[in-house]
Amino acid sequence: MRAGGAVDRAVMAVAGLGLAVPKFVVAPMLVLLFAVTLHWLPAGGWGDARNLVLPVLSLAMPNIAYCARLTRASLLETLSADYLRAARSRGLSPARVLLSHAMPPALLPVIAWLSPALINIVTGSAVVEQVFGIPGMGRYFVQGALNRDYTLVLGVVLVVGAAIVLINAIVDALRRAMDPRLAATA
């Protein structure tokens, strides 16, 4: 709502940093900060919910950063639309204009971006699994390829392919539900 302000610049700077630093750098830095230095979280392994915090954070950071930038750009474009000026002139509260009239169309590009983002998380987890010692599909895929276990590699590829199809179907259904123009063409 306050583009160019101090909070906006700070959030976009952090988002730019989140986009610039790759996962294989973020994961060890998170371990160093939260596990080794602060002793707040375990450094790796597979057990309770505390073990999931660092791997999930390292996988999600670039996507959260991109989502923040995409949402900001889309919302800024939507806020200048004529129908929002009309909603404001009818006396609707700023919160109602933002939540009911501006956010749904502004989130359409974000929803369209969800498909590649989720696929990136599913397929790009091998490094994070290795850093945190998590038995996951990416790790099994790499081990299968190194051990020439073609059955395992083929199985992982099929499961990942099915996950990609499922993610695309869910995101397309969500887009159809949010955008009446897409629902009319289906």
Side-chain angles (χ1 to χ4, degrees):
M1 293 297 293
R2 292 175 183 83
V7 173
D8 180 46
R9 286 194 308 261
V11 168
M12 288 303 107
V14 170
L17 184 65
L19 280 172
V21 181
K23 291 180 217 175
F24 62 85
V25 174
V26 169
M29 288 176 63
L30 288 174
V31 169
L32 182 66
L33 177 65
F34 291 109
V36 176
T37 305
L38 298 174
H39 303 287
W40 289 355
L41 296 167
W46 193 247
D48 60 353
R50 291 183 47 182
N51 292 76
L52 297 176
V53 173
L54 292 180
V56 167
L57 190 60
S58 63
L59 277 173
M61 270 182 58
N63 292 322
I64 291 170
Y66 189 80
C67 183
R69 294 176 67 88
L70 184 61
T71 303
R72 177 189 182 274
S74 181
L75 189 58
L76 284 176
E77 182 180 336
T78 303
L79 285 173
S80 65
D82 290 336
Y83 69 92
L84 289 179
R85 229 174 285 128
R88 285 187 206 103
S89 68
R90 287 194 309 258
L92 295 177
S93 69
R96 173 120 187 213
V97 170
L98 177 67
L99 296 176
S100 298
H101 296 283
M103 282 306 275
L107 289 178
L108 288 174
V110 176
I111 291 171
W113 167 79
L114 275 179
S115 181
L118 291 173
I119 290 167
N120 182 16
I121 288 174
V122 169
T123 59
S125 63
V127 171
V128 173
E129 290 169 3
Q130 191 67 35
V131 168
F132 292 104
I134 298 172
M137 287 189 3
R139 191 173 186 184
Y140 288 135
F141 180 76
V142 171
Q143 286 177 350
L146 292 174
N147 295 334
R148 296 178 187 238
D149 187 356
Y150 301 121
T151 307
L152 177 63
V153 171
L154 183 60
V156 170
V157 168
L158 287 174
V159 169
V160 169
I164 289 170
V165 170
L166 181 66
I167 288 168
N168 282 329
I170 290 171
V171 169
D172 284 346
L174 188 59
R175 286 184 62 211
R176 243 183 246 106
M178 293 222 21
D179 191 356
R181 297 171 297 177
L182 293 175
T185 61

